[in-house]
Amino acid sequence: MSLTKDESRALISKILAFSRADECSVSIEGEDSANLRFASNEVTTSGSTSNIVASITSSFGKRSGSASINQFDDAALERTVRRSEETARFAPEDPERMPMLGEQRFIEPGGFDEATAHAAPEVRALVAKRAIEVAKSRKVVAAGFFTNSGQYSAIGNSKGLFGFTRQSLATFSSTARTADGTGSGWAGSNSESIARFDPAALAKTAVDKAFLSARPRSLEPGTYTTILEPAAVADLLQYMTFSLDARSSDEGRSFFAVRGGGNKIGQKVLSEQFSLSSDPGDPRLPAAPFTGEGFPTARVPWIEQGNVRNLGYSRFWAQKQNKEPVPFPQNLIMAGGTGSVADLIKSTKRGVLVTRLWYIRFVDPQSILLTGLTRDGTFLVENGRIKYPVKNFRWNDSPISVFSKMDAMSVAVRTRGSESEDFPIICPAIRTQFTFSSLSDAV
């Protein structure tokens, strides 16, 4: 079951009519999703889900309470409104609570493809079939995951706010292992439209990487000139983005803090080649036009030519600091260069090529120092060519250091990282300095 914009508006209006609170807001989240998993060159599982949830928040002064429901007859809706009001009356006052927003204007992003949102089981089966056929033809073992979904979100409140948006998304990844178990390759992508990526081509990339990475040799850990493919860059971008928060910076809890108070807006912190923005209206990776409380989203330049231009400001912190609110990014767009990963390899005298990163965790959040592993294809590059595969590494480094030392980039492409399959990112491969701390025998 999916609600249209008009049906969502009518449901929100009905819920608000039951309210006795000073302020009341309603959010509706709906999703139809399906998935298919394959392993050992066979389909193993598949499934689908459909759900709609309405969340109601009632406020009396600075006291607020919430309740949710997924059945929509009048009696159930009224009970849920009363439950949210009862919760609010017993809740402690929130000194940071902001008044609900009134009517807002939102952009109209794209991002919805009916064929992707409601793809038939045969479509998912064909995706798996193509990937498996590629693996079988090369005598390797493939495993992977494919999902397609359609989501919609509606918000409204007693002060006249209403917004509605819907999006579709398809995600795919394939991992291939050589018969002797020593080589592994991976490729993956996501898009609003299944038609925008080629699962067979991605599966072939994974198979090619598997053969190329077979029988790896040991390479001494250390700091190397390193080419990070887009999937690896995407993960580092996401972890750095966690710190793009004005409050944690102003309070001295972030890399973007200034000793003695304040933040680094206006300061140069990364390479001049580095620029990062978010834009929900970018047709390459459209995102939601509003935040959960109904604040409009728009293009935000976060870092330009290495200089910090913006940090995220909640409505409360913006008011406290006499600033304009800046919503946190719902997509990431890193500016790229020219050429391909192959061009970066050709121009590298000696270094390491990394396909992707894995099992990333914080070591020191304030400096954004991370640790993790390389996976599914790590190689020594010499004189512009891949010389041989090397064993995987554990690494310890910070996106700040990595993006400060980069000296070359490929074109930027739509990609996905290992840590998030559905967050929309455009970024290039980069060449930089990267620290590998120890070897890993894991394939």
Side-chain angles (χ1 to χ4, degrees), residues 15-290:
I15 294 171
L16 293 174
F18 290 124
S19 174
R20 300 170 184 168
D22 295 343
E23 293 182 334
C24 182
S25 67
V26 181
S27 67
I28 298 172
E29 300 289 338
E31 180 177 33
D32 298 312
S33 65
N35 64 80
L36 184 148
R37 189 184 301 274
F38 58 97
S40 299
N41 292 344
E42 293 182 353
V43 172
T44 56
T45 60
S46 64
S48 63
T49 61
S50 181
N51 195 28
I52 305 173
V53 176
S55 299
I56 303 164
T57 297
S58 298
S59 298
F60 297 92
K62 289 188 174 293
R63 303 177 189 273
S64 297
S66 297
S68 298
I69 189 170
N70 62 357
Q71 62 185 84
F72 303 115
D73 60 276
D74 288 3
L77 292 174
E78 184 171 11
R79 283 197 305 272
T80 306
V81 172
R82 297 290 168 262
R83 190 160 59 249
S84 71
E85 292 172 347
E86 181 180 0
T87 303
R89 292 186 184 280
F90 285 97
E93 289 194 348
D94 178 3
E96 298 185 5
R97 182 186 177 274
M98 298 294 292
M100 292 181 184
L101 293 165
E103 184 177 0
Q104 303 289 314
R105 290 187 176 183
F106 306 121
I107 64 170
E108 292 286 346
F112 185 81
D113 176 65
E114 183 68 37
T116 299
H118 299 108
E122 291 81 4
V123 174
R124 293 185 291 279
L126 182 59
V127 168
K129 179 183 177 183
R130 288 173 175 168
I132 291 168
E133 286 176 344
V134 171
K136 285 184 174 180
S137 69
R138 302 282 297 278
K139 294 182 172 53
V140 301
V141 178
F145 194 54
F146 177 79
T147 67
N148 65 279
S149 63
Q151 306 97 22
Y152 59 93
S153 176
I155 54 174
N157 66 29
S158 54
K159 298 181 75 172
L161 173 75
F162 177 77
F164 179 87
T165 187
R166 61 179 186 167
Q167 293 176 293
S168 58
L169 185 68
T171 70
F172 175 78
S173 67
S174 181
T175 301
R177 288 284 179 96
T178 56
D180 64 3
T182 67
S184 181
W186 176 92
S189 188
N190 60 29
S191 177
E192 286 68 46
S193 171
I194 294 173
R196 290 186 182 176
F197 61 82
D198 185 345
L202 291 168
K204 181 180 182 303
T205 297
V207 171
D208 290 344
K209 277 285 181 73
F211 280 108
L212 196 61
S213 65
R215 295 176 295 282
R217 308 181 195 181
S218 294
L219 182 66
E220 192 69 20
T223 300
Y224 287 88
T225 296
T226 302
I227 299 167
L228 297 173
E229 293 198 16
V233 175
D235 279 322
L236 296 178
L237 285 175
Q238 284 187 271
Y239 274 87
M240 187 179 74
T241 302
F242 296 157
S243 297
L244 291 172
D245 173 51
R247 182 172 187 171
S248 62
S249 301
D250 292 341
E251 293 179 343
R253 297 180 285 109
S254 163
F255 166 80
F256 295 99
V258 173
R259 183 170 295 183
N263 57 57
K264 294 180 181 177
I265 291 179
Q267 294 188 21
K268 185 175 184 298
V269 298
L270 302 177
S271 164
E272 292 182 359
Q273 296 188 49
F274 186 92
S275 293
L276 180 68
S277 63
S278 58
D279 185 357
D282 191 313
R284 299 173 298 172
L285 67 175
F290 47 78

